[in-house]
Amino acid sequence: MFLKHFYSTDHKIIGLLYGFTSLFFLLVGFSLVVLIRWQLAYPGEPVPYVGGLLGAANAPGGVILPEFYNQLGAMHGTIMVFLGVVPLAVGAFGNYLIPLQIGAPDMAFPRLNLASYWFYFVGGAIMLGSFLVPGGAANNGWTSYPPLSDLAPGNGQTWWLAGMLCLIFSSLLGALNFITTIVQLRAPGMTWFRLPFFVWAQFVTAFLLLLAFPALQAAALLQGMDRLAGTSFFLPSGLAVSGQPLDVAGGGNALLWQHLFWFLGHPEVYVLILPGMGIVAEVITNNTRKPLWGYRLMVYSLFVLGFLSFVVWAHHMFLTGMGTVISAFFQATTMIISIPSVVILSSLILSLYGGSIRFTTPMLFALAFLPMFGIGGLTGLPLGLATTDIPLHDTNYVVGHFHYLVAPGTIFALFAGIYHWFPRMTGGRMMNDTLGRIHFVGSLICMNVIFLPMFVQGLAGVNRRLWDGGAVYAHAQEVLSLNIPMSMAAFGLAFFQLFFIVNLFLSLRGPRTVTDNPWGATTLEWQTGPVAALRVYRDPYEYSVPGEPTDFLPQNVGPAPRSGPAE
Amino acid sequence: MHIPYTTDVRPDTGLTNPKLGIWLFLASEVMLFGSLFSAYALLRSGSTSWPDQSAVLSVPFATLNTVILISSSITMVLAWVAAKAGELRRFRLFMGLTLVLGAAFMVVKAIEYNDKFSHGLLPSTDNFLGLYFTMTGVHAIHVLVGMVVNAYLLWPGSAMFRSDSVRFTNRVEIAGIYWHFVDVVWIFLFPVLYLL
Amino acid sequence: MMEWLGLPPAASAHAAGVDQTMVLVHALMAVLFVGWTIFFTYVLIRFRRTAHRDASYHGLRGRWSTVIEGAVLVAEVALLVFFSVPLWSARVDAFPPEAQSTVVRVVAEQFAWNVHYPGADGRFGRTSLELLGPSNPLGLDRTDPAGRDDITTINQLNLPVNRPVIVHLSSKDMVHSFALPQMRVKQDAIPGIAQPVWFTPTATGRWEIACSQLCGLGHYRMRGFYTIQSPTEYEAWLASEAALIATP
Ligand code: HEM
Ligand SMILES: [Cu+2]
Ligand SMILES: [Cu+2]
């Protein structure tokens, strides 16, 4: 029966549940941004086709109201980050692959794993449901800065907080499960430095989730109290809204929220990218047919990244009034944290050198990840220096910067992962290569046409989160026309995703065409045989070992008789 | 599906899965309460008028609750010792006591809350009371969760005592670690909210 | 490279420093990106399957990647130590004396910028929440002797050129952000927290104040204007505003 999948505690089933649910949410988050892009290109013009479906309170006559625009922005960010990318990268790939790659029979706590999925599901349902409450969904940015969020009318923001608490709890359960699994359930012989890089990335990610999310948990509780019990944790004395003094006790601190939020928020961006890096490392080694260059250095870099990501949060807050010493500290940590990122990215690029590169569809996505991620990382530098942050802060430059990391960055890595592990997850079905390549080329072009002009607009001083895209501002006029090609590209991106969706469903029902290990991979998830009998003998990426008959040696192949052909 | 190291210790890490799991969970709990305490510190240091805490709250009640909770930690340890020694009746006795003490803590807390409400002292009155209700409220939820777990182990869960006593003892130990943590949090809350 | 970045025209004393840093960072970024891309493209072509059947187990040898990473670190530290930190310190520590500056208060609210000048006596009048009203968005107490000659405007900030300006920024309701793109000034206005900013305009002109922090549904139209005038024009403007107060 189909329903039994919804209470199975098998990590593979839970991984697939996470996968399908998060793909659905990615689609939702993307649909919201398609509306945003329409509005930015044609402010005040009715949305074609679907305008009438948006509800008279949101878009009378199909014209998106500013209130609704802010809902779209806040919910796009929230859904993409917390319901799309993280559940796909961690919940789906992590769940499915970690036990397989380390040779474990399942997660350490299978029932907790299922509970984690259901908390995620409920959190997602609350977030989606909040669009229907009077006043609509949260509309204070995904950052939910008070006093705006504290005082926001309607219940959308309260729903957002409730949804976040569910999602946080889900992540905490997942994270402790992942860590325990990796520490405890590695197969015999799977020493720490034989772990595939993907597992390392998930390991560090889990620590970030475990230790950073509670800050937002606390912040959400405090904001919930402000909204429901009338406390003033984030409301200073002397507020006057719409000309009326506000009737609260006061004495709070609006910046307290920002500190707590970004204490989570910055590690969270590494949560968004580390699993993606892990996937790319797997796909690249497999398709270059050679070991990862600088594996150990990359692992150490992961740890440095994870550790430092807890001490950079205030670089999001340079313009809140920061003294020289504190700003110098956070600028310094920000510059230092860029080094391990550079090390990982360079190592991935250097890994290509000397390879025998197969341009498979997953490899194309993994390769494109590298320069895209590079752009995203480099454009972080001027934002991390307080002085250059002055003109750039809260402009479209920032939007361009983090989207290069998460959209053509992480999303591409996730696509690479889907194409790569599809045969493993479906028992020998391959995704269609032609459709995959069309999907790749279309997405790559569209992504860049959407996001590259954002740097131009941002440098010109155009702010983000503007309902009319900056149309009222004189300094925006010269770069305003860019919004039209950008939006066209966003619609194009939607079009090219159809190739992926069709491919996914066709291939799911297609014939099983390949054997167990179609890519000739070394890591354990591709090797068959009973888990109980598994033993690991070698490093994760033993490709093209000199003097071996095949160009790959799976981790569980023993040193065995060297003489004579093994086949 | 058999998951290794659920009851037996993995030699190279020296841990069972649940043991590691609960410590990781508590690490995140430390961050949660740490964030709340930081919020307290920031709001208090930035405030122009902070009430005299011990005058607003009832120190005797809180002292009583501190005694209750510490005693419950002791009975929890004794319950675990009994379970380990294979003495089900003694386990039941001490676990029952732990549960009763937990309930007593909640009752005292309820009386305290009620007292505040009846004097018109609400979370919205000022940020000190807001923090008091939030932090003790979050703590009380933790006590409640601990009580549910303990009650489960006391009654329906103790069937495992016969079928798999090692695993059962481990469960009691894990529940105990959590319970002590809740106790420790209170030991921080008490001086910070009532005395300082 | 400056024009190439397309920053708004610079019209304040410290703008050159900010822009120079901006150019240097982008130069560093460009060098790294171009370097990576060249290597990347070369490798993809040189080591494609059809051209290179057998992968090398060892791959690239040599330590020069460490050298490059070290060089990146050195460049970043240099940007930090020689540019960003000193410039920042000049912004937040080295405030000019009030006596030699034009001092104004700017109070943000949904969705307008209230400007408050101290008037001829150089002292700001008392403000209070009780006095807030549609015609008195600042809650200024006109009975306070210091407040009698105060000049207030909405969404219009006039300033004299070539003289330091100190803006005491605050907010009545939400977090807003006070951005003067041509001055290279941006500062969040956070309720409950006093936020002084200073700069020295070096060119006359009329530009826009742009709210840079989401502050509600009208955020997109929270636009004000600022006009940098010659000292004589500015004095004349002050005089005309003062005359308006005298004859209500
Ligand atoms: C793939 C296609 C995507 C497109 C075309 C897109 C486009 C946009 C645009 C135009 C904005 C700015 C809205 C505004 O300024 O009002 C935005 C905001 C944002 N996006 Fe995306 N995005 C995409 C994917 C993602 C992904 C994958 C993530 C996260 C993992 C993400 C996270 C965010 C966040 C956090 C914001 C800020 C929301 C806020 O203002 O509070 N986006 N996106
Ligand atoms: Cu504003
Ligand atoms: Cu605004």
Side-chain angles (χ1 to χ4, degrees):
Chain A
M1 189 159 117
F2 176 71
L3 268 181
K4 77 167 190 288
H5 297 308
F6 287 92
Y7 47 84
S8 162
T9 55
D10 182 331
H11 72 98
K12 297 201 280 301
I13 306 276
I14 296 177
L16 291 177
L17 279 179
Y18 260 115
F20 282 105
T21 318
S22 57
L23 281 173
F24 165 75
F25 278 114
L26 280 178
L27 195 64
V28 174
F30 183 57
S31 312
L32 300 184
V33 99
V34 169
L35 294 175
I36 291 181
R37 283 293 356 158
W38 170 266
Q39 166 66 19
L40 290 176
Y42 308 103
E45 288 181 35
V47 181
Y49 310 120
V50 295
L53 305 176
L54 300 175
N58 297 326
V63 178
I64 294 174
L65 289 178
E67 295 87 323
F68 185 51
Y69 179 85
N70 288 349
Q71 289 179 36
L72 293 173
M75 295 310 283
H76 160 69
T78 305
I79 290 179
M80 281 294 190
V81 172
F82 297 110
L83 291 165
V85 172
V86 175
L88 182 55
V90 177
F93 282 108
N95 250 313
Y96 200 98
L97 294 172
I98 290 175
L100 295 178
Q101 287 200 329
I102 65 175
D106 202 317
M107 283 290 185
F109 309 112
R111 271 178 296 177
L112 222 50
N113 204 12
L114 187 63
S116 159
Y117 171 78
W118 282 106
F119 273 105
Y120 160 61
F121 188 90
V122 171
I126 292 178
M127 291 290 185
L128 279 188
S130 75
F131 275 102
L132 303 175
V133 305
N139 58 1
N140 312 296
W142 81 291
T143 47
S144 285
Y145 280 8
L148 188 63
S149 52
D150 259 28
L151 302 175
N155 288 328
Q157 182 66 24
T158 311
W159 282 54
W160 187 88
L161 294 168
M164 283 313 301
L165 286 174
C166 289
L167 296 174
I168 292 170
F169 199 62
S170 156
S171 285
L172 293 179
L173 294 183
L176 73 88
N177 207 348
F178 279 30
I179 297 173
T180 309
T181 306
I182 296 171
V183 172
Q184 292 285 97
L185 300 188
R186 281 165 292 122
M190 181 58 94
T191 56
W192 286 102
F193 282 111
R194 283 179 181 163
L195 286 177
F197 187 71
F198 175 80
V199 176
W200 274 117
Q202 293 279 353
F203 188 64
V204 174
T205 302
F207 270 104
L208 297 183
L209 287 171
L210 189 76
L211 299 178
F213 249 140
L216 187 60
Q217 206 177 9
L221 286 169
L222 295 174
Q223 196 177 95
M225 289 294 283
D226 273 8
R227 287 183 61 84
L228 298 175
T231 55
S232 320
F233 297 134
F234 304 123
L235 302 175
S237 308
L239 286 180
V241 179
S242 316
Q244 295 298 319
L246 198 68
D247 182 25
V248 294
N253 185 336
L255 279 184
L256 171 60
W257 169 272
Q258 297 192 21
H259 281 292
L260 290 172
F261 181 87
W262 288 116
F263 187 82
L264 153 83
H266 201 86
E268 179 73 14
V269 309
Y270 288 93
V271 169
L272 291 170
I273 57 185
L274 294 184
M277 287 177 165
I279 293 173
V280 168
E282 301 297 303
V283 174
I284 283 189
T285 45
N286 180 259
N287 286 288
T288 49
R289 316 305 296 165
K290 60 179 284 299
L292 202 55
W293 193 90
Y295 166 83
R296 282 200 182 213
L297 191 62
M298 286 175 73
V299 172
Y300 298 141
S301 299
L302 275 180
F303 275 86
V304 177
L305 266 183
F307 178 75
L308 286 176
S309 73
F310 285 100
V311 288
V312 295
W313 80 90
H315 66 203
H316 297 272
M317 299 166 61
F318 283 140
L319 301 184
T320 58
M322 211 182 266
T324 305
V325 176
I326 298 186
S327 90
F329 172 78
F330 283 104
Q331 293 180 71
T333 53
T334 305
M335 291 302 117
I336 296 171
I337 204 175
S338 72
I339 295 303
S341 322
V342 170
V343 169
I344 295 182
L345 191 62
S346 318
S347 302
L348 288 171
I349 295 182
L350 295 177
S351 287
L352 301 170
Y353 189 95
S356 174
I357 302 173
R358 306 188 301 212
F359 293 96
T360 59
T361 305
M363 184 63 167
L364 291 176
F365 277 102
L367 287 173
F369 169 91
L370 301 173
M372 297 294 106
F373 188 83
I375 295 179
L378 288 171
T379 50
L381 289 180
L383 299 171
L385 291 168
T387 306
T388 40
D389 189 42
I390 298 172
L392 298 179
H393 183 78
D394 248 307
T395 64
N396 272 352
Y397 196 94
V398 177
V399 181
H401 152 67
F402 68 73
H403 278 85
Y404 262 98
L405 294 170
V406 293
T410 300
I411 295 275
F412 274 17
L414 295 173
F415 279 134
I418 294 175
Y419 284 103
H420 183 70
W421 279 294
F422 192 83
R424 174 64 187 83
M425 296 182 175
T426 58
R429 296 182 170 93
M430 276 284 193
M431 286 184 79
N432 181 292
D433 211 41
T434 316
L435 292 177
R437 276 160 206 271
I438 298 174
H439 174 218
F440 168 73
V441 174
S443 299
L444 182 65
I445 294 173
C446 289
M447 286 280 193
N448 283 286
V449 177
I450 302 172
F451 293 117
L452 213 50
M454 292 216 178
F455 298 124
V456 179
Q457 293 184 329
L459 283 163
V462 181
N463 285 335
R464 64 192 275 211
R465 295 171 166 171
L466 298 177
W467 173 74
D468 59 0
V472 301
Y473 286 103
H475 62 249
Q477 295 312 314
E478 260 179 47
V479 291
L480 212 56
S481 56
L482 290 173
N483 276 328
I484 293 183
M486 287 158 78
S487 293
M488 290 299 168
F491 309 146
L493 188 61
F495 170 72
F496 284 108
Q497 299 323 296
L498 294 178
F499 288 85
F500 172 72
I501 296 170
V502 167
N503 195 351
L504 189 70
F505 284 102
L506 282 186
S507 312
L508 273 176
R509 324 179 111 249
R512 297 171 198 264
T513 49
V514 291
T515 50
D516 292 330
N517 190 357
W519 308 114
T522 52
T523 41
L524 293 183
E525 79 273 26
W526 298 101
Q527 319 308 330
T528 46
V531 182
L534 258 181
R535 192 176 166 82
V536 172
Y537 294 96
R538 53 186 74 250
D539 288 349
Y541 309 114
E542 289 291 272
Y543 289 105
S544 305
V545 180
E548 291 294 334
T550 55
D551 73 347
F552 67 103
L553 281 177
Q555 283 192 278
N556 60 340
V557 169
R562 278 296 165 101
S563 53
E567 273 93 334
Chain B
M1 178 70 60
H2 172 73
I3 308 290
Y5 311 118
T6 304
T7 48
D8 44 336
V9 170
R10 181 175 164 124
D12 59 345
T13 63
L15 289 164
T16 62
N17 300 344
K19 195 74 151 279
L20 178 57
I22 189 75
W23 283 115
L24 290 168
F25 180 69
L26 294 186
S28 96
E29 294 278 279
V30 166
M31 296 302 287
L32 170 65
F33 283 101
S35 305
L36 289 173
F37 278 108
S38 319
Y40 173 92
L42 197 94
L43 288 174
R44 181 167 180 179
S45 65
S47 116
T48 46
S49 60
W50 200 259
D52 177 3
Q53 300 189 152
S54 53
V56 180
L57 303 180
S58 159
V59 179
F61 268 137
T63 316
L64 174 64
N65 252 351
T66 311
V67 174
I68 292 177
L69 218 50
I70 292 181
S71 322
S72 79
S73 262
I74 297 172
T75 54
M76 189 80 197
V77 174
L78 293 174
W80 174 59
V81 171
K84 213 168 170 171
E87 299 175 35
L88 184 58
R89 291 198 40 198
R90 212 148 61 86
F91 164 75
R92 287 238 164 98
L93 170 69
F94 285 119
M95 197 54 142
L97 269 177
T98 312
L99 207 56
V100 169
L101 287 168
F105 176 90
M106 294 299 280
V107 169
V108 173
K109 203 76 246 167
I111 295 173
E112 256 192 285
Y113 272 22
N114 215 358
D115 185 51
K116 296 285 149 321
F117 291 149
S118 61
H119 288 85
L121 297 175
L122 304 174
S124 56
T125 305
D126 61 26
N127 269 341
F128 166 61
L129 280 165
L131 282 166
Y132 162 74
F133 281 110
T134 312
M135 293 170 81
T136 55
V138 172
H139 177 259
I141 293 173
H142 280 77
V143 174
L144 213 59
V145 170
M147 285 171 62
V148 170
V149 173
N150 291 349
Y152 172 80
L153 290 175
L154 178 63
W155 188 50
S158 64
M160 190 188 261
F161 186 82
R162 298 218 167 68
S163 60
D164 189 347
S165 80
V166 180
R167 188 151 180 215
F168 182 73
T169 318
N170 283 351
R171 283 192 171 179
V172 175
E173 188 186 4
I174 301 296
I177 294 175
Y178 173 79
W179 190 254
H180 300 323
F181 172 79
V182 173
D183 192 0
V184 169
V185 171
W186 177 257
I187 289 170
F188 278 94
L189 283 174
F190 175 44
V192 167
L193 292 177
Y194 289 81
L195 303 178
L196 286 181
Chain C
M1 186 146 163
M2 191 97 150
E3 300 74 50
W4 186 74
L5 283 179
L7 294 163
S12 72
H14 71 273
V18 174
D19 290 3
Q20 189 190 19
T21 319
M22 187 75 87
V23 168
L24 288 173
V25 185
H26 279 83
L28 173 67
M29 289 154 62
V31 168
L32 283 174
F33 188 71
V34 170
W36 271 344
T37 310
I38 292 175
F39 180 81
F40 184 63
T41 320
Y42 165 75
V43 169
L44 289 190
I45 295 170
R46 168 73 186 76
F47 295 106
R48 64 189 192 278
R49 187 96 169 145
T50 41
H52 196 246
R53 275 224 68 82
D54 299 310
S56 138
Y57 179 71
H58 294 288
L60 191 72
R61 291 179 195 260
R63 304 234 108 244
W64 53 271
S65 73
T66 322
V67 176
I68 292 179
E69 278 143 18
V72 174
L73 183 62
V74 169
E76 288 179 358
V77 169
L79 281 167
L80 184 65
V81 174
F82 297 115
F83 294 90
S84 193
V85 171
L87 285 164
W88 186 263
S89 158
R91 301 272 40 71
V92 299
D93 299 330
F95 269 77
E98 298 224 336
Q100 288 155 35
S101 322
T102 312
V103 182
V104 296
R105 288 179 65 224
V106 171
V107 182
E109 73 175 311
Q110 281 180 324
F111 302 98
W113 303 98
N114 300 295
V115 184
H116 184 181
Y117 292 86
D121 64 354
R123 291 186 301 145
F124 289 105
R126 195 179 72 87
T127 57
S128 109
L129 274 183
E130 282 82 63
L131 296 174
L132 285 180
S135 59
N136 189 1
L138 284 165
L140 176 63
D141 183 0
R142 287 284 181 193
T143 63
D144 176 14
R148 240 167 248 159
D149 59 352
D150 288 12
I151 293 167
T152 64
T153 62
I154 297 177
N155 287 332
Q156 176 63 46
L157 174 63
N158 285 50
L159 296 170
V161 73
N162 292 332
R163 183 180 153 92
V165 178
I166 299 176
V167 178
H168 291 288
L169 192 63
S170 57
S171 165
K172 280 159 71 176
D173 43 33
M174 309 308 172
V175 180
H176 302 268
S177 190
F178 175 73
L180 308 177
Q182 296 73 14
M183 298 293 127
R184 304 292 187 267
V185 164
K186 190 178 289 162
Q187 171 65 53
D188 287 2
I190 298 163
I193 298 174
Q195 306 277 14
V197 234
W198 80 277
F199 54 95
T200 309
T202 52
T204 58
R206 179 175 154 85
W207 297 291
E208 291 161 340
I209 308 171
C211 181
S212 303
Q213 190 66 259
L214 182 64
C215 54
L217 59 98
H219 165 58
Y220 74 98
R221 58 181 159 82
M222 185 159 163
R223 174 183 63 154
F225 294 90
Y226 69 107
T227 311
I228 309 293
Q229 299 170 303
S230 70
T232 43
E233 279 172 337
Y234 176 67
E235 290 303 329
W237 178 80
L238 279 182
S240 70
E241 289 290 320
L244 283 180
I245 305 170
T247 53

